[in-house]
Amino acid sequence: MSGDVIAWGAAPLTVTIALDDDDRPRLVGFGRAAAALLPVERALPPVELELRGAAKGRGSRHVEQAASARLRYAGHDASDDRLELRLTDPETGLQVTQTWQRSGDAPVLRCHAEVSNDGTAPVTLRYVSSLVVGGFGAGDGPHWTSRLRLSYASMDTCAEFQWRTVSPADLGLLDVGIAGSTRRRIAFTGLGSTPSGEFLPAGAITDTVTGTAVVWQIEHNGAWHWEAGDHLSSGYLAVSGPTDQEHEWRQVLRPGDTFHSVPVAVTASADGLPAALSALTPHRRAIRRPHPDNDALPVVFNDYLNCLWGDPAEEKLLPIIDAAAKAGCEVFCVDAGWYSDEQSWWSSVGEWLPSASRFPSGLPSVLDRIAALGMVPGLWLEPEVVGVDSPVADQLPLEAFFQRDGERVNERGRYQLDLRHPAARAHLDATVDRLVALGVGYLKFDYNINIGAGTDVSADGAGAGLLGHNRAYLRWVEDLLDRHPGLTIESCAGGGARTDYATLSLHSIQSTSDQADHLRTVPIAAAAATAIAPEQAGVWVSPRPELSIAETELCVVNGLLGRMHVSGRPDLLSDEQFAAVASGLAVYKMLRGLVREGLPLWPTGLPGWTDDWVSYGLRAGPTTLLSVWRRGGGSDSVELPLPHLRGAAVTVTCAYPEAVPVEHRWDREAGVLTVTLPHPQAARLLRLVHSRPVTI
């Protein structure tokens, strides 16, 4: 087999693996033409392993490991949509299968590795890659550190999806003139139980010479890691779930055991970063669990933001419920606080029984009022946590909670349930079944702590305990939806701290943020589709009575190309403000089929936090929907490049506010739309229809 080449896939996602003289596999090409394949001696193995007792690679990097270098080719199976590469470690008996799978018709590959112990002695895994690619920036032209750009998305409370693009040199990787590899790396790590608490579990590498961008997303609801660095005068990428070095994860594989790494989806586009991010959208839709909500996309009202702020009560809710129904909302979710007689309930949650003082007529009477007005009743729930002052903390066995060194982990007055334990699952099953029996058809699953490295109960390391819980949580949600197939579950974690496609393959909706300011919401709403299918991206529309009509309309535009989440005080709005909201919901209902099908685009680029002008659109067949915001500064006009419409005759109308003329000019030859908004804080949803087929 030495010298053989395995070529699989279709441009731009081709995978080429060559065997060296010792039958060691090397990934010599990813998306590369045959003439640009790496020499086998300069390529990395397709899987990187770190084992306890085996020599480690240079510095803190996860490539060039001794265990990986031992792997030998053991066969492969290939079909049009799947490549399985089988490897073996002759020293330990480990069998490794690297799988590359095409994601339906989307230009996306999904990758993971399986490691089985076919030997006679236990082996401790310390790192298993899901995706390793080398050779970035190799070839003629500038040195790879000058040629490449790395992109990542910063995530913070109320400031989500903020993409940054930098050169490797900006982050300390320099051309130091060494022929081999240095010990440096650029590393991004998701810690604990909030996979997008600091950064999205995603990233991108763009080659400025070719214009090609490679984008990946880590489809895991816990700890993750990716790094980029140099390997023999070019760049490499290594992507994984939890690791020993970063997360206290290790897994002892006893003879007969198998470990599965977390899946990673990867795509590439010759049209740059925004196009590559958009290309992930069909994949995100394809891997979702089927659910009626995915098609219906009902408008949700939630009483939290700029409304009751976690302090609901019967007399407060009734006028808001009536106003929400009148405006056209189709789901009404009562947010946090419904279970406590006290305003300060942080450390007492976990029993999830309705408060008698907040609901003197009983919570069911409020839920019945919601249903009688044609809306689906919903409730907020934080299922995984139990407050230290909750009676449930003493009712469940100690083993049902995360522990370290024999003590429960106390994170800001909360304990974390471990869903590997049957008592934890039984408690939550009983809770959800009880609420559904009350008529609840919508649950908002929130999560407001980060439990850290994990639990060392029944685990080889705290990180392994967390990984086991992460996977048990997903199984619990699957079982829940099997039992209650009509139940809709929203994912939330203090806003967007759980934005990952392990979670979102099961939850219909993702909260994007808890940002309460309508102007600061703009860049969040416009960038959410970089990480979430548009119809899953719950964006707050929460106008306040003190806002002008123009500002109220801007609030509405924030949600029109995502999943409309209404809040604020509709019962206190003026007639004109209320009409602006109600007409916006009517427009959303007419257009939500296009939201469900459209592919994202960003004419002015991915939005910056302080940009004066922001734009975001969806294209579906002959229609392009385009949200345009002006946030208080700059020129009265903005140019919006729309290359997919270049050369087409285009009809431009204002979809919202309806029947409002918008000053615009369409340059057919250049494919540029110029829009003028004289008001310094204003937004419009434009509908562009072209008169000839356009290649997408």
Side-chain angles (χ1 to χ4, degrees), residues 298-319:
V299 175
V300 178
F301 189 96
N302 180 292
D303 67 30
Y304 180 72
L305 201 79
N306 292 321
C307 190
L308 299 184
W309 292 113
D311 189 25
E314 184 176 331
E315 72 279 5
K316 297 178 186 177
L317 281 166
L318 294 180

PDB file of all heavy atoms in Angstrom, residues 298-319:
ATOM      1  N   PRO A 298     -44.264  30.015  14.864  1.00  0.00           N
ATOM      2  CA  PRO A 298     -45.188  30.958  15.502  1.00  0.00           C
ATOM      3  C   PRO A 298     -44.459  32.098  16.210  1.00  0.00           C
ATOM      4  O   PRO A 298     -43.334  31.942  16.680  1.00  0.00           O
ATOM      5  CB  PRO A 298     -45.943  30.084  16.502  1.00  0.00           C
ATOM      6  CG  PRO A 298     -45.044  28.917  16.761  1.00  0.00           C
ATOM      7  CD  PRO A 298     -44.319  28.676  15.472  1.00  0.00           C
ATOM      8  N   VAL A 299     -45.135  33.255  16.277  1.00  0.00           N
ATOM      9  CA  VAL A 299     -44.598  34.421  16.969  1.00  0.00           C
ATOM     10  C   VAL A 299     -44.727  34.201  18.477  1.00  0.00           C
ATOM     11  O   VAL A 299     -45.801  33.871  18.987  1.00  0.00           O
ATOM     12  CB  VAL A 299     -45.353  35.693  16.558  1.00  0.00           C
ATOM     13  CG1 VAL A 299     -44.860  36.896  17.371  1.00  0.00           C
ATOM     14  CG2 VAL A 299     -45.187  35.945  15.065  1.00  0.00           C
ATOM     15  N   VAL A 300     -43.608  34.386  19.187  1.00  0.00           N
ATOM     16  CA  VAL A 300     -43.551  34.126  20.625  1.00  0.00           C
ATOM     17  C   VAL A 300     -43.565  35.445  21.390  1.00  0.00           C
ATOM     18  O   VAL A 300     -42.815  36.372  21.068  1.00  0.00           O
ATOM     19  CB  VAL A 300     -42.277  33.332  20.980  1.00  0.00           C
ATOM     20  CG1 VAL A 300     -42.183  33.106  22.494  1.00  0.00           C
ATOM     21  CG2 VAL A 300     -42.244  32.003  20.239  1.00  0.00           C
ATOM     22  N   PHE A 301     -44.412  35.531  22.412  1.00  0.00           N
ATOM     23  CA  PHE A 301     -44.308  36.619  23.388  1.00  0.00           C
ATOM     24  C   PHE A 301     -43.730  36.040  24.670  1.00  0.00           C
ATOM     25  O   PHE A 301     -44.140  34.972  25.120  1.00  0.00           O
ATOM     26  CB  PHE A 301     -45.663  37.271  23.692  1.00  0.00           C
ATOM     27  CG  PHE A 301     -45.533  38.521  24.535  1.00  0.00           C
ATOM     28  CD1 PHE A 301     -45.504  39.765  23.928  1.00  0.00           C
ATOM     29  CD2 PHE A 301     -45.387  38.456  25.912  1.00  0.00           C
ATOM     30  CE1 PHE A 301     -45.348  40.927  24.668  1.00  0.00           C
ATOM     31  CE2 PHE A 301     -45.217  39.605  26.671  1.00  0.00           C
ATOM     32  CZ  PHE A 301     -45.198  40.843  26.051  1.00  0.00           C
ATOM     33  N   ASN A 302     -42.777  36.760  25.260  1.00  0.00           N
ATOM     34  CA  ASN A 302     -42.163  36.358  26.522  1.00  0.00           C
ATOM     35  C   ASN A 302     -42.154  37.586  27.427  1.00  0.00           C
ATOM     36  O   ASN A 302     -41.783  38.681  26.994  1.00  0.00           O
ATOM     37  CB  ASN A 302     -40.743  35.849  26.273  1.00  0.00           C
ATOM     38  CG  ASN A 302     -40.044  35.422  27.540  1.00  0.00           C
ATOM     39  OD1 ASN A 302     -39.730  36.243  28.394  1.00  0.00           O
ATOM     40  ND2 ASN A 302     -39.773  34.139  27.675  1.00  0.00           N
ATOM     41  N   ASP A 303     -42.541  37.425  28.678  1.00  0.00           N
ATOM     42  CA  ASP A 303     -42.769  38.586  29.546  1.00  0.00           C
ATOM     43  C   ASP A 303     -41.526  39.079  30.284  1.00  0.00           C
ATOM     44  O   ASP A 303     -41.637  39.802  31.278  1.00  0.00           O
ATOM     45  CB  ASP A 303     -43.875  38.280  30.560  1.00  0.00           C
ATOM     46  CG  ASP A 303     -43.487  37.212  31.592  1.00  0.00           C
ATOM     47  OD1 ASP A 303     -42.298  37.089  31.938  1.00  0.00           O
ATOM     48  OD2 ASP A 303     -44.378  36.477  32.048  1.00  0.00           O
ATOM     49  N   TYR A 304     -40.331  38.750  29.788  1.00  0.00           N
ATOM     50  CA  TYR A 304     -39.119  39.127  30.519  1.00  0.00           C
ATOM     51  C   TYR A 304     -38.581  40.497  30.113  1.00  0.00           C
ATOM     52  O   TYR A 304     -38.615  41.450  30.883  1.00  0.00           O
ATOM     53  CB  TYR A 304     -38.033  38.060  30.316  1.00  0.00           C
ATOM     54  CG  TYR A 304     -36.749  38.369  31.048  1.00  0.00           C
ATOM     55  CD1 TYR A 304     -36.685  38.269  32.433  1.00  0.00           C
ATOM     56  CD2 TYR A 304     -35.612  38.774  30.358  1.00  0.00           C
ATOM     57  CE1 TYR A 304     -35.514  38.570  33.112  1.00  0.00           C
ATOM     58  CE2 TYR A 304     -34.435  39.074  31.032  1.00  0.00           C
ATOM     59  CZ  TYR A 304     -34.392  38.969  32.411  1.00  0.00           C
ATOM     60  OH  TYR A 304     -33.235  39.272  33.081  1.00  0.00           O
ATOM     61  N   LEU A 305     -38.105  40.633  28.889  1.00  0.00           N
ATOM     62  CA  LEU A 305     -37.277  41.779  28.515  1.00  0.00           C
ATOM     63  C   LEU A 305     -38.105  43.067  28.405  1.00  0.00           C
ATOM     64  O   LEU A 305     -39.102  43.114  27.688  1.00  0.00           O
ATOM     65  CB  LEU A 305     -36.591  41.501  27.177  1.00  0.00           C
ATOM     66  CG  LEU A 305     -35.344  42.347  26.932  1.00  0.00           C
ATOM     67  CD1 LEU A 305     -34.159  41.784  27.703  1.00  0.00           C
ATOM     68  CD2 LEU A 305     -35.017  42.395  25.448  1.00  0.00           C
ATOM     69  N   ASN A 306     -37.661  44.087  29.120  1.00  0.00           N
ATOM     70  CA  ASN A 306     -38.370  45.369  29.144  1.00  0.00           C
ATOM     71  C   ASN A 306     -39.839  45.182  29.510  1.00  0.00           C
ATOM     72  O   ASN A 306     -40.709  45.955  29.094  1.00  0.00           O
ATOM     73  CB  ASN A 306     -38.262  46.091  27.798  1.00  0.00           C
ATOM     74  CG  ASN A 306     -36.850  46.552  27.511  1.00  0.00           C
ATOM     75  OD1 ASN A 306     -36.144  47.005  28.407  1.00  0.00           O
ATOM     76  ND2 ASN A 306     -36.423  46.426  26.263  1.00  0.00           N
ATOM     77  N   CYS A 307     -40.103  44.142  30.288  1.00  0.00           N
ATOM     78  CA  CYS A 307     -41.482  43.819  30.669  1.00  0.00           C
ATOM     79  C   CYS A 307     -41.510  43.532  32.171  1.00  0.00           C
ATOM     80  O   CYS A 307     -41.301  44.454  32.960  1.00  0.00           O
ATOM     81  CB  CYS A 307     -41.996  42.659  29.828  1.00  0.00           C
ATOM     82  SG  CYS A 307     -43.764  42.337  29.974  1.00  0.00           S
ATOM     83  N   LEU A 308     -41.666  42.304  32.593  1.00  0.00           N
ATOM     84  CA  LEU A 308     -41.793  41.990  34.022  1.00  0.00           C
ATOM     85  C   LEU A 308     -40.469  41.597  34.665  1.00  0.00           C
ATOM     86  O   LEU A 308     -40.410  41.471  35.889  1.00  0.00           O
ATOM     87  CB  LEU A 308     -42.820  40.869  34.217  1.00  0.00           C
ATOM     88  CG  LEU A 308     -44.237  41.203  33.730  1.00  0.00           C
ATOM     89  CD1 LEU A 308     -45.191  40.063  34.052  1.00  0.00           C
ATOM     90  CD2 LEU A 308     -44.748  42.505  34.322  1.00  0.00           C
ATOM     91  N   TRP A 309     -39.439  41.379  33.884  1.00  0.00           N
ATOM     92  CA  TRP A 309     -38.085  41.154  34.401  1.00  0.00           C
ATOM     93  C   TRP A 309     -38.042  40.069  35.486  1.00  0.00           C
ATOM     94  O   TRP A 309     -37.434  40.223  36.528  1.00  0.00           O
ATOM     95  CB  TRP A 309     -37.494  42.442  34.949  1.00  0.00           C
ATOM     96  CG  TRP A 309     -37.207  43.498  33.922  1.00  0.00           C
ATOM     97  CD1 TRP A 309     -37.828  44.703  33.798  1.00  0.00           C
ATOM     98  CD2 TRP A 309     -36.218  43.458  32.889  1.00  0.00           C
ATOM     99  NE1 TRP A 309     -37.313  45.423  32.750  1.00  0.00           N
ATOM    100  CE2 TRP A 309     -36.310  44.680  32.167  1.00  0.00           C
ATOM    101  CE3 TRP A 309     -35.272  42.511  32.487  1.00  0.00           C
ATOM    102  CZ2 TRP A 309     -35.491  44.969  31.085  1.00  0.00           C
ATOM    103  CZ3 TRP A 309     -34.459  42.806  31.414  1.00  0.00           C
ATOM    104  CH2 TRP A 309     -34.569  44.026  30.726  1.00  0.00           C
ATOM    105  N   GLY A 310     -38.689  38.937  35.242  1.00  0.00           N
ATOM    106  CA  GLY A 310     -38.610  37.818  36.176  1.00  0.00           C
ATOM    107  C   GLY A 310     -39.447  37.996  37.428  1.00  0.00           C
ATOM    108  O   GLY A 310     -39.154  37.380  38.453  1.00  0.00           O
ATOM    109  N   ASP A 311     -40.483  38.809  37.344  1.00  0.00           N
ATOM    110  CA  ASP A 311     -41.353  39.049  38.504  1.00  0.00           C
ATOM    111  C   ASP A 311     -42.817  38.989  38.069  1.00  0.00           C
ATOM    112  O   ASP A 311     -43.573  39.955  38.212  1.00  0.00           O
ATOM    113  CB  ASP A 311     -41.029  40.417  39.116  1.00  0.00           C
ATOM    114  CG  ASP A 311     -41.743  40.648  40.447  1.00  0.00           C
ATOM    115  OD1 ASP A 311     -42.081  39.652  41.121  1.00  0.00           O
ATOM    116  OD2 ASP A 311     -41.974  41.820  40.784  1.00  0.00           O
ATOM    117  N   PRO A 312     -43.261  37.846  37.530  1.00  0.00           N
ATOM    118  CA  PRO A 312     -44.640  37.767  37.024  1.00  0.00           C
ATOM    119  C   PRO A 312     -45.640  37.594  38.167  1.00  0.00           C
ATOM    120  O   PRO A 312     -45.310  37.097  39.246  1.00  0.00           O
ATOM    121  CB  PRO A 312     -44.595  36.515  36.140  1.00  0.00           C
ATOM    122  CG  PRO A 312     -43.574  35.640  36.813  1.00  0.00           C
ATOM    123  CD  PRO A 312     -42.528  36.575  37.354  1.00  0.00           C
ATOM    124  N   ALA A 313     -46.854  38.010  37.927  1.00  0.00           N
ATOM    125  CA  ALA A 313     -47.968  37.788  38.846  1.00  0.00           C
ATOM    126  C   ALA A 313     -49.249  37.874  38.039  1.00  0.00           C
ATOM    127  O   ALA A 313     -49.290  38.501  36.968  1.00  0.00           O
ATOM    128  CB  ALA A 313     -47.973  38.815  39.974  1.00  0.00           C
ATOM    129  N   GLU A 314     -50.287  37.270  38.560  1.00  0.00           N
ATOM    130  CA  GLU A 314     -51.541  37.176  37.822  1.00  0.00           C
ATOM    131  C   GLU A 314     -52.064  38.534  37.374  1.00  0.00           C
ATOM    132  O   GLU A 314     -52.396  38.729  36.199  1.00  0.00           O
ATOM    133  CB  GLU A 314     -52.574  36.473  38.710  1.00  0.00           C
ATOM    134  CG  GLU A 314     -53.904  36.213  38.041  1.00  0.00           C
ATOM    135  CD  GLU A 314     -54.842  35.429  38.952  1.00  0.00           C
ATOM    136  OE1 GLU A 314     -54.352  34.649  39.797  1.00  0.00           O
ATOM    137  OE2 GLU A 314     -56.065  35.604  38.812  1.00  0.00           O
ATOM    138  N   GLU A 315     -52.112  39.516  38.295  1.00  0.00           N
ATOM    139  CA  GLU A 315     -52.689  40.809  37.944  1.00  0.00           C
ATOM    140  C   GLU A 315     -51.825  41.580  36.954  1.00  0.00           C
ATOM    141  O   GLU A 315     -52.320  42.397  36.174  1.00  0.00           O
ATOM    142  CB  GLU A 315     -52.925  41.655  39.201  1.00  0.00           C
ATOM    143  CG  GLU A 315     -51.683  42.202  39.874  1.00  0.00           C
ATOM    144  CD  GLU A 315     -50.969  41.201  40.781  1.00  0.00           C
ATOM    145  OE1 GLU A 315     -51.400  40.024  40.814  1.00  0.00           O
ATOM    146  OE2 GLU A 315     -49.999  41.601  41.448  1.00  0.00           O
ATOM    147  N   LYS A 316     -50.502  41.335  36.958  1.00  0.00           N
ATOM    148  CA  LYS A 316     -49.624  41.979  35.987  1.00  0.00           C
ATOM    149  C   LYS A 316     -49.761  41.327  34.609  1.00  0.00           C
ATOM    150  O   LYS A 316     -49.707  42.006  33.573  1.00  0.00           O
ATOM    151  CB  LYS A 316     -48.168  41.862  36.433  1.00  0.00           C
ATOM    152  CG  LYS A 316     -47.819  42.555  37.741  1.00  0.00           C
ATOM    153  CD  LYS A 316     -46.336  42.301  38.055  1.00  0.00           C
ATOM    154  CE  LYS A 316     -45.935  42.837  39.404  1.00  0.00           C
ATOM    155  NZ  LYS A 316     -44.520  42.532  39.727  1.00  0.00           N
ATOM    156  N   LEU A 317     -49.915  40.010  34.603  1.00  0.00           N
ATOM    157  CA  LEU A 317     -49.880  39.273  33.346  1.00  0.00           C
ATOM    158  C   LEU A 317     -51.136  39.450  32.499  1.00  0.00           C
ATOM    159  O   LEU A 317     -51.049  39.521  31.265  1.00  0.00           O
ATOM    160  CB  LEU A 317     -49.678  37.782  33.622  1.00  0.00           C
ATOM    161  CG  LEU A 317     -48.250  37.334  33.942  1.00  0.00           C
ATOM    162  CD1 LEU A 317     -48.245  35.927  34.525  1.00  0.00           C
ATOM    163  CD2 LEU A 317     -47.387  37.380  32.675  1.00  0.00           C
ATOM    164  N   LEU A 318     -52.303  39.532  33.128  1.00  0.00           N
ATOM    165  CA  LEU A 318     -53.548  39.485  32.358  1.00  0.00           C
ATOM    166  C   LEU A 318     -53.649  40.581  31.299  1.00  0.00           C
ATOM    167  O   LEU A 318     -53.987  40.286  30.140  1.00  0.00           O
ATOM    168  CB  LEU A 318     -54.751  39.507  33.305  1.00  0.00           C
ATOM    169  CG  LEU A 318     -54.888  38.255  34.200  1.00  0.00           C
ATOM    170  CD1 LEU A 318     -56.098  38.363  35.100  1.00  0.00           C
ATOM    171  CD2 LEU A 318     -54.961  36.988  33.351  1.00  0.00           C
ATOM    172  N   PRO A 319     -53.374  41.857  31.620  1.00  0.00           N
ATOM    173  CA  PRO A 319     -53.445  42.859  30.533  1.00  0.00           C
ATOM    174  C   PRO A 319     -52.382  42.665  29.460  1.00  0.00           C
ATOM    175  O   PRO A 319     -52.615  42.984  28.287  1.00  0.00           O
ATOM    176  CB  PRO A 319     -53.257  44.189  31.275  1.00  0.00           C
ATOM    177  CG  PRO A 319     -52.597  43.840  32.556  1.00  0.00           C
ATOM    178  CD  PRO A 319     -53.094  42.483  32.921  1.00  0.00           C
TER     179      PRO A 319
END
